Amino acid sequence: MPPITLAFISDNVNQLNTPALIEQFVIDNIGDGYILDGMQRLNTLRRAAEDDDFDQARPIYFSVVVAEKYDLILYRMITLNNGQKPMTVRHQIEMLTGNLMKRLISNHQLQNITVLSEKETENSSPRGSFRMVDVAGAYLAFLTNGPHNQNSRFIEEKLDEILVGKVMSSGILEEEVGFKEVIEQVDRLSSRQTPKDWLRNENNLIGFSLGYKDSFQHINALSPDQFSTQIEVFEASFQAINPSKVNVGKFRRELSRYFIESIAEDYKIEELTEKFFEMTVN
């Protein structure tokens, strides 16, 4: 039987430099691991173990992947499962997004935002909370390096093939920052109400996640109050767009991405409005 591939996240990958350390790490963190490849084999083994003749002394072989970022695990998960159709790309990302949020919460790294699943918002929608589905949508945009990943005109199977291709060609393995850093900055900036309300919009969150890749050093240095001022400039400029003439969501994703990636330009309202005109004229 081919090895089963397990994956783990660790902030100290470089310290796992001997087989003994890796083995102990796997034992200590087995509850937080992911099965990248071999789920069907595990299910077969579970059923076989119920047989009285099952040889429990027979060894099982594992391949172990330890990465510093969820992005790399998700990339491996998507590429390994490509063509096998155990679950869609979107489903895989939603699952990893939930686990990433749990990890950040358990490590007390989120102080200003709460992220609720669809089930948690069935009966009520707590004011000021982020929706898990929106965060997952932003993660998908981050991985594909594109703001537009939904198309109801395509059947799910074909759309999934397109998304896999976009992830594989996005250059995610060479990115200097990961989506974890995006969420940490969203949380930091959300200590003020204006940025929090702005980032809770799914389209703005997608634009922020994409633009942050190019401007993370500048964003990291901005105070929440400074970011609030920049948002006011963006919104004033965006008001110049006639909503009856455009797909507002599409343009908000594209223009918020540009706004975030070029935030160091410190545009005035007139300057940014003119830039938006140039970007939407066709």
Side-chain angles (χ1 to χ4, degrees):
M1 184 179 73
I4 294 168
T5 304
L6 304 180
F8 299 87
I9 301 293
S10 173
D11 296 328
N12 304 302
V13 171
N14 293 333
Q15 296 179 16
L16 302 175
N17 51 16
T18 68
L21 287 173
I22 294 173
E23 180 181 3
Q24 190 59 50
F25 174 83
V26 171
I27 292 172
D28 293 341
N29 296 275
I30 193 66
D32 297 321
Y34 304 93
I35 300 170
L36 288 192
D37 188 40
M39 180 65 77
Q40 291 181 344
R41 273 164 274 160
L42 276 179
N43 288 332
T44 300
L45 282 171
R46 181 179 59 80
R47 291 192 296 270
E50 298 172 356
D51 194 301
D52 293 337
D53 296 327
F54 182 74
D55 182 5
Q56 297 190 19
R58 187 172 181 176
I60 300 175
Y61 295 94
F62 295 91
S63 295
V64 176
V65 176
V66 184
E68 290 183 313
K69 298 191 294 185
Y70 273 87
D71 311 355
L72 303 181
I73 293 296
L74 194 44
Y75 178 86
R76 287 295 300 272
M77 182 183 292
I78 290 170
T79 53
L80 275 173
N81 288 329
N82 184 26
Q84 299 180 30
K85 307 303 178 190
M87 63 177 74
T88 65
V89 171
R90 200 176 302 277
H91 186 188
Q92 293 176 68
I93 291 173
E94 288 174 355
M95 182 183 70
L96 263 292
T97 301
N99 289 334
L100 171 60
M101 293 300 106
K102 290 177 183 176
R103 184 183 179 93
L104 290 173
I105 291 169
S106 65
N107 291 338
H108 306 289
Q109 292 175 267
L110 299 182
Q111 305 297 323
N112 302 301
I113 66 172
T114 55
V115 182
L116 302 180
S117 66
E118 184 176 355
K119 184 176 181 179
E120 291 173 311
T121 59
E122 281 181 353
N123 299 320
S124 63
S125 182
R127 185 176 178 83
S129 297
F130 285 69
R131 298 193 310 161
M132 188 72 74
V133 66
D134 294 341
V135 177
Y139 201 171
L140 178 58
F142 185 88
L143 289 168
T144 61
N145 200 33
H148 311 306
N149 295 297
Q150 298 186 38
N151 191 330
S152 59
R153 297 183 181 90
F154 273 63
I155 61 174
E156 186 174 49
E157 181 180 357
K158 290 300 179 183
L159 180 59
D160 202 57
E161 290 176 5
I162 292 171
L163 292 178
V164 169
K166 291 174 71 173
V167 170
M168 294 177 69
S169 63
S170 68
I172 192 67
L173 299 181
E174 285 76 45
E175 293 289 356
E176 294 185 70
V177 295
F179 191 70
K180 174 175 173 285
E181 286 75 28
V182 171
I183 295 301
E184 288 173 343
Q185 287 303 309
V186 168
D187 180 70
R188 181 182 71 84
L189 295 170
S190 292
S191 64
R192 296 293 182 270
Q193 196 62 44
T194 297
K196 187 175 186 177
D197 290 341
W198 192 80
L199 289 164
R200 285 180 61 241
N201 177 286
E202 178 187 12
N203 296 313
N204 292 337
L205 185 59
I206 286 173
F208 181 88
S209 300
L210 289 167
Y212 182 75
K213 295 181 181 185
D214 294 316
S215 63
F216 65 92
Q217 292 178 329
H218 191 80
I219 293 287
N220 292 354
L222 281 178
S223 71
D225 287 331
Q226 290 172 323
F227 190 63
S228 295
T229 301
Q230 296 275 28
I231 287 173
E232 291 170 0
V233 171
F234 173 87
E235 288 299 328
S237 302
F238 195 82
Q239 290 301 313
I241 297 174
N242 186 342
S244 66
K245 301 294 184 180
V246 300
N247 181 326
V248 175
K250 175 179 181 294
F251 275 94
R252 183 170 280 276
R253 289 191 293 274
E254 293 174 353
L255 297 181
S256 61
R257 176 185 188 173
Y258 172 79
F259 163 68
I260 294 298
E261 67 187 13
S262 61
I263 200 167
E265 299 292 335
D266 196 20
Y267 283 116
K268 302 296 185 289
I269 293 176
E270 296 78 11
E271 296 170 333
L272 190 59
T273 302
E274 183 176 345
K275 191 66 182 180
F276 284 178
F277 173 80
E278 294 171 358
M279 295 176 67
T280 58
V281 69
N282 293 324

